[in-house]
Amino acid sequence: MYRILSADEAISLIRDGDCICVNSFVGIENPVELHEALNRRYQQTHSPKHLTIVSSAGFGVWDENRNAEGYIRAGAVDRLICGHFGAMPSTKKIILENRFEAYNLPLGCISHAIRAQAGGIPGALSKVGLDIFVDPRREGPGINQISTDSSFVKVVEVDGEEFLYYKLPKITATLIKGTAADRKGNISFDDMYMSGDALSICQAVKSNNGIVIVQVDRIVDMPTRPRNTIIPGCLVDAIVVVEPQPRDDALQALTGSFEIPFEDWHEWTEKLDALTSEHRRESVASSIIGRRAAQELRKEDIVNIGIGIPETISRFAKQNGMLDHITLTVESGGIGGFPASGKVFGAMIGAASVYDMANQFDLYNHGGLDICFMGALEVDRHGNVNAHRGPGAYAGIGGFANITAKTPIVVFCLTFNTKGLEVQEQDGHVTIVRNGAIPKFVNDVRSISFSARKAIANGQKVLYVTERCIFILTARGLKLLEVYPGVNVQKDIFALLPFGVEA
């Protein structure tokens, strides 16, 4: 039977050595007061200690002094298993200092492993991750030098086919954010941007005799419709009521509490950007890439658009009339709306449906998308892509590996080089005024996020769209497919590549 407790009382239920699963998505839907109560307890008592934290998509609020950052930095956590670390500024730095073990698994594979554990199955099979960094025959999922646990990812063969087997530690506690609890402890998510894997997490925790703690905005007398209950009260141990901060209309729009017609998506996107994104001046190079990449869209496509340069594609898709003929999706479970960006990445404007995250990765993993547009840090002579690990920095793979593993058409959107790149465009002619100091095309990528060899074997069409040209992946490597008017092929392309390409 659940109890209504303060945040400090609820966190007293967490034990030393617990494996805590957090149902957040990058920077959204974090149970902030629960994390900060855990931080208070640890600072005062040095307990709970020796924690393991699991999160499919990461858990941060882009502030090193809030949420979980304090107790992680202070030493409460021994192991961290996440899909993405982008919203956790201090955590992702100290990981590289070998302060604790940290493992990066594809977001969807963590989600499916949680669901498997909820059903009494130790782990989940997947073809996602084969031949990229997480494959133990390459690097494995450990991020730093002390992260050597080989139990999380194994290569197995089933009926003559090769898979990766993803296994998580037994989840014994969870911290979850919901909207409301009724008098029976049933939890609804009506004002939330997503529900993530909340139900599967709770089922897994209870099967392991663990503790479920849910932070909600309010207690209600009238139960919600049964279909709208995400977590039944019988799975809940503690409910913590934290009155929410007032939301701007632009943020309220992401909850789906009122309809946003397609023709108004752009207006609401601008409102959100003003609230949640750092001011970003779109470069000429990004516009060239986005406009050209958007030409790959076809009517009825089911699409995923990544963050960064790929975000420009939606604007050009609107201009060329394709936006109202395609279905956009986001990893957190939204489909049929317009993905938000910045600090509310994972939410959607005008979503037609928001379902469990594991179901979204069911769609992605078996090739249910028609096309995806992803960013890239590096591309090598084979066509492999690194999108998760920079020099001295680590963001994590997120949903990238799941999205690109089987999608029939994969379009990577990246500048030819960076740091100082200056490009001009006039009347459809492109001029490279100055090249950047850091090349994006290299002999060998630092770490593999996308395997060209697997893509060829899967029969995927892979394009690399830059501000000056387009390459296509072939069995022999990269082939120069298209050069934009005004670009000098020898000076602006071939002379800057450290390897040869087919022309």
Side-chain angles (χ1 to χ4, degrees):
M1 178 66 181
Y2 78 91
R3 292 181 288 165
I4 298 176
L5 303 174
S6 70
D8 293 318
E9 290 170 334
I11 288 300
S12 71
L13 302 175
I14 302 293
R15 302 148 297 195
D16 288 356
D18 266 336
C19 176
I20 304 173
C21 191
V22 182
N23 187 56
S24 307
F25 190 91
V26 190
I28 64 173
E29 310 306 20
N30 282 279
V32 175
E33 185 52 44
L34 298 183
H35 283 296
E36 296 191 346
L38 199 160
N39 184 47
R40 287 192 296 271
R41 179 183 165 194
Y42 186 78
Q43 300 290 353
Q44 294 166 7
T45 69
H46 292 287
S47 179
K49 57 182 180 293
H50 302 310
L51 299 174
T52 294
I53 301 186
V54 173
S55 175
S56 297
F59 55 106
V61 291
W62 309 96
D63 184 340
E64 65 181 22
N65 296 313
R66 296 186 64 217
N67 212 52
E69 303 267 29
Y71 67 79
I72 292 175
R73 197 163 53 239
V77 176
D78 286 356
R79 288 188 302 183
L80 187 55
I81 304 166
C82 278
H84 201 267
F85 302 85
M88 307 166 72
S90 72
T91 296
K92 65 183 182 180
K93 290 178 184 176
I94 63 175
I95 284 172
L96 299 180
E97 297 171 2
N98 295 318
R99 298 269 289 274
F100 50 84
E101 293 180 52
Y103 301 88
N104 183 213
L105 278 60
L107 194 164
C109 299
I110 299 177
S111 177
H112 283 170
I114 292 169
R115 185 173 64 184
Q117 194 172 129
I121 303 170
L125 292 175
S126 181
K127 286 187 174 292
V128 173
L130 288 168
D131 204 39
I132 68 171
F133 78 97
V134 75
D135 190 323
R137 295 164 299 187
R138 285 194 172 272
E139 300 172 50
I143 299 173
N144 57 25
Q145 293 172 340
I146 63 171
S147 302
T148 58
D149 192 327
S150 61
S151 66
F152 302 133
V153 187
K154 295 180 179 179
V155 181
V156 299
E157 187 175 295
V158 179
D159 292 339
E161 287 192 72
E162 193 173 71
F163 294 85
L164 292 184
Y165 179 64
Y166 292 91
K167 182 181 178 181
L168 299 173
K170 283 192 174 182
I171 301 167
T172 56
T174 183
L175 307 179
I176 290 176
K177 175 75 172 69
T179 295
D182 68 18
R183 60 180 180 267
K184 294 184 178 180
N186 301 311
I187 310 296
S188 64
F189 281 60
D190 294 347
D191 292 340
M192 309 294 290
Y193 303 149
M194 59 116 207
S195 60
D197 290 318
L199 178 58
S200 290
I201 293 170
C202 291
Q203 290 172 328
V205 170
K206 298 315 290 183
S207 71
N208 296 326
N209 299 311
I211 301 297
V212 172
I213 303 173
V214 184
Q215 177 183 320
V216 297
D217 297 341
R218 56 187 178 271
I219 302 291
V220 295
D221 291 327
M222 182 66 68
T224 187
R225 290 180 177 234
R227 186 67 181 143
N228 293 342
T229 293
I230 301 296
I231 306 172
C234 61
L235 299 180
V236 179
D237 294 291
I239 294 173
V240 177
V241 182
V242 179
E243 187 174 344
Q245 295 292 320
R247 270 180 173 159
D248 184 276
D249 283 350
L251 295 176
Q252 189 63 32
L254 299 175
T255 68
S257 56
F258 56 90
E259 183 183 5
I260 301 177
F262 161 77
E263 57 269 18
D264 295 337
W265 283 0
H266 182 66
E267 177 188 344
W268 286 98
T269 300
E270 288 186 338
K271 290 179 181 180
L272 277 169
D273 284 347
L275 283 175
T276 67
S277 300
E278 294 180 4
H279 180 68
R280 291 177 296 179
R281 182 176 175 271
E282 190 171 298
S283 69
V284 173
S286 296
S287 294
I288 293 169
I289 294 167
R291 183 172 60 247
R292 176 59 187 85
Q295 294 176 21
E296 298 299 316
L297 289 166
R298 299 293 179 263
K299 289 185 178 181
E300 309 301 327
D301 275 352
I302 303 174
V303 186
N304 182 283
I305 295 176
I307 57 175
I309 292 176
E311 291 179 81
T312 61
I313 291 160
S314 56
R315 176 163 61 85
F316 290 104
K318 187 174 189 297
Q319 289 181 11
N320 67 22
M322 287 299 300
L323 192 58
D324 57 344
H325 296 292
I326 62 177
T327 299
L328 297 176
T329 70
V330 69
E331 295 95 301
S332 58
I335 192 163
F338 189 88
S341 61
K343 293 182 178 179
V344 288
F345 173 65
M348 240 185 176
I349 298 169
S353 173
V354 180
Y355 46 54
D356 283 358
M357 191 155 62
N359 296 125
Q360 191 75 300
F361 285 98
D362 289 336
L363 176 75
Y364 292 169
N365 285 3
H366 73 74
L369 292 170
D370 295 296
I371 188 170
C372 64
F373 300 87
M374 298 282 112
L377 296 173
E378 298 174 315
V379 176
D380 69 17
R381 58 201 161 131
H382 308 292
N384 298 319
V385 173
N386 169 25
H388 71 278
R389 187 160 204 156
Y394 200 99
I397 192 69
F400 179 99
N402 302 88
I403 293 165
T404 59
K406 289 293 291 294
T407 299
I409 303 175
V410 179
V411 182
F412 292 109
C413 302
L414 70 157
T415 54
F416 203 87
N417 44 54
T418 189
K419 196 175 182 182
L421 174 66
E422 185 178 342
V423 179
Q424 292 179 354
E425 183 185 28
Q426 187 172 10
D427 299 327
H429 281 66
V430 175
T431 301
I432 309 302
V433 178
R434 182 173 63 245
N435 280 295
I438 300 176
K440 292 287 195 83
F441 290 86
V442 296
N443 272 317
D444 295 288
V445 294
R446 184 175 289 105
S447 187
I448 297 178
S449 311
F450 173 83
S451 167
R453 181 169 60 182
K454 279 292 177 186
I456 291 295
N458 290 336
Q460 294 168 277
K461 177 183 178 182
V462 183
L463 298 176
Y464 308 81
V465 178
T466 78
E467 79 288 348
R468 62 190 75 186
C469 64
I470 300 174
F471 298 103
I472 189 170
L473 179 65
T474 74
R476 294 178 298 279
L478 299 185
K479 178 180 179 180
L480 185 61
L481 183 68
E482 184 178 325
V483 178
Y484 305 155
V487 173
N488 184 303
V489 176
Q490 183 59 42
K491 178 172 73 76
D492 296 330
I493 299 173
F494 291 156
L496 301 176
L497 288 173
F499 52 83
V501 297
E502 186 180 350

